[in-house]
Amino acid sequence: MYRDDVQFGEEYKQVMKKYGCGTDEQWNQVLAQVKSELERRQNLFQQSLERSRQIRTQYRPLHPQVYTLQESFFAPEFLEFVELSRRSNTTPEDVMKFVTSQPDDRVYEFPVFTKQFCQQFMEEITHFEDSDFPKGRPNTMNNYGILLNELGFDEGFITPLRTDYLRPICRLLYPDWGGDALDSHKAFVVTYKLREDLDLSYHYDNAEVTLNVSLGKDFEEGSLYFGNMRQVVQSQPSYREHKHRPTYGLLHRGQHKHGAMPIDDGERYNLIIWMRSSKVRNQLCPMCDQQPTLVRTVGFGDGFTKETKTVDVCCAS
């Protein structure tokens, strides 16, 4: 939490000394980094909006058809899964035949897309990545990847995917995490390859529920590993490994801590959708565990809302 130099010094200077920040010069370097990050966060959504406008007016897609969701994109098993989930009398036990999971894990694997769609989708992402258009990166942990809202996927693809297909599933599997009220999202593609991002450190997501779909390409290793929920403190945490399978998705709670092991060869593309429920996060920010302090922004922001039904972002996260 940074409000001004005095407040920040009173709260954190002694703490930082324990980590080797002992001189005035070192402390000033810390302040400079904090202010730089603060400025980045304050400008994040406006800069994203400016990039979106430029891309929308000037970029020529390679595969325009992939921007509008079609049922032909989905694996037949996924459509059966969704159809059963939409029925009002379906129970969580009824849909377990469509997923692979480990006991007490609540990480569910199931086929999502066809190989043909994944191939065209990756070609579209590569086509944009190779262009000269400005690109916003997904987060501070992934150096390579694409924000799908900037590329124009939100309205015709991601939003109907969340509301019409994923929310019925999440209603059954995650009722305690707002599964029936997932009203916003952040969607992006991340890439892992040699000499770029190889792995991803242990973390949790700014989401109530996350879908992680392995789109494919040829790769070796790079499995996901899951520990415990972030609220559970363990001196010696244990992990469970989940291997990526192209066209398959892993559905998990956003607060379930996880990471990605290094790939040994090739490259891997993953579609990530952070699904958020304002019904849940309006009560407590999932990143700072405090009552949200909101500032107005554009788009979905971080999924918080006010009574005026505008969508806002938690400035403390």
Side-chain angles (χ1 to χ4, degrees):
M1 176 70 70
Y2 175 91
R3 289 188 293 272
D4 54 52
D5 289 3
V6 174
Q7 165 268 329
F8 192 74
E10 290 176 349
E11 293 189 22
Y12 297 107
K13 197 166 188 177
Q14 292 301 317
V15 175
M16 292 301 297
K17 284 184 178 180
K18 298 178 181 179
Y19 295 94
C21 180
T23 68
D24 289 341
E25 182 180 357
Q26 291 172 327
W27 177 248
N28 288 334
Q29 290 175 353
V30 169
L31 282 176
Q33 291 182 35
V34 169
K35 292 177 181 178
S36 175
E37 175 62 14
L38 178 63
E39 182 180 8
R40 185 191 72 82
R41 295 187 184 194
Q42 289 173 333
N43 296 327
L44 197 62
F45 294 102
Q46 184 60 40
Q47 290 174 352
S48 178
L49 183 62
E50 293 171 359
R51 288 191 297 266
S52 298
R53 288 170 177 164
Q54 181 180 353
I55 293 166
R56 184 174 64 252
T57 57
Q58 301 177 25
Y59 174 67
R60 293 182 178 273
L62 177 66
H63 295 301
Q65 70 277 10
V66 302
Y67 286 77
T68 302
L69 189 65
Q70 303 174 38
E71 289 211 335
S72 61
F73 295 166
F74 294 121
E77 303 93 326
F78 179 73
L79 292 175
E80 292 180 30
F81 185 9
V82 173
E83 180 60 30
L84 181 59
S85 300
R86 286 171 176 167
R87 299 174 187 172
S88 60
N89 60 344
T90 300
T91 67
E93 291 74 21
D94 293 334
V95 299
M96 286 298 115
K97 62 183 179 181
F98 291 106
V99 303
T100 301
S101 64
Q102 297 182 16
D104 303 321
D105 193 288
R106 298 189 75 184
V107 178
Y108 304 101
E109 182 188 42
F110 48 88
V112 180
F113 297 117
T114 65
K115 289 183 179 179
Q116 181 181 9
F117 167 75
C118 288
Q119 181 62 38
Q120 290 186 341
F121 188 78
M122 287 188 293
E123 289 174 359
E124 180 62 40
I125 296 300
T126 302
H127 178 66
F128 177 70
E129 187 71 82
D130 291 341
S131 74
D132 294 329
F133 287 92
K135 301 166 184 70
R137 298 310 180 187
N139 49 63
T140 56
M141 298 181 70
N142 291 102
N143 297 308
Y144 299 90
I146 298 295
L147 288 166
L148 292 178
N149 67 307
E150 293 185 2
L151 194 48
F153 276 96
D154 254 6
E155 183 176 351
F157 190 102
I158 301 297
T159 295
L161 174 60
R162 168 175 53 81
T163 58
D164 299 338
Y165 296 88
L166 297 176
R167 194 158 61 188
I169 293 173
C170 294
R171 174 184 68 86
L172 294 171
L173 300 181
Y174 302 110
D176 49 339
W177 286 93
D180 62 341
L182 298 170
D183 51 3
S184 68
H185 60 260
K186 178 178 180 179
F188 49 95
V189 171
V190 293
T191 59
Y192 298 90
K193 66 175 71 174
L194 300 181
R195 293 180 295 278
E196 293 185 3
D197 285 340
L198 296 177
D199 56 12
L200 190 63
S201 299
Y202 197 49
H203 68 285
Y204 55 90
D205 299 336
N206 186 359
E208 273 63 69
V209 181
T210 294
L211 178 67
N212 182 335
V213 182
S214 177
L215 299 171
K217 291 219 170 177
D218 294 326
F219 59 89
E220 294 181 9
E221 300 302 330
S223 298
L224 283 180
Y225 60 95
F226 286 83
N228 217 319
M229 297 295 287
R230 75 173 182 91
Q231 296 86 352
V232 178
V233 179
Q234 292 178 304
S235 57
Q236 294 182 324
S238 59
Y239 305 99
R240 288 178 174 174
E241 180 180 354
H242 291 262
K243 293 184 179 295
H244 288 286
R245 289 198 286 172
T247 74
Y248 278 69
L250 285 172
L251 193 69
H252 63 86
R253 294 162 291 178
Q255 303 292 289
H256 196 161
K257 298 186 71 174
H258 58 284
M261 298 177 182
I263 63 169
D264 288 345
D265 195 17
E267 57 183 320
R268 187 181 80 242
Y269 283 63
N270 287 70
L271 166 64
I272 313 294
I273 305 178
W274 288 353
M275 293 178 282
R276 294 155 170 172
S277 170
S278 60
K279 181 180 177 181
V280 173
R281 59 182 44 220
N282 283 353
Q283 308 304 313
L284 192 71
C285 173
M287 305 304 288
C288 64
D289 288 329
Q290 298 180 27
Q291 185 175 354
T293 303
L294 304 179
V295 293
R296 191 175 301 279
T297 186
V298 295
F300 283 133
D302 276 338
F304 299 90
T305 60
K306 286 185 175 179
E307 291 182 358
T308 55
K309 296 186 179 180
T310 57
V311 180
D312 300 84
V313 56
C314 177
C315 63
S317 67

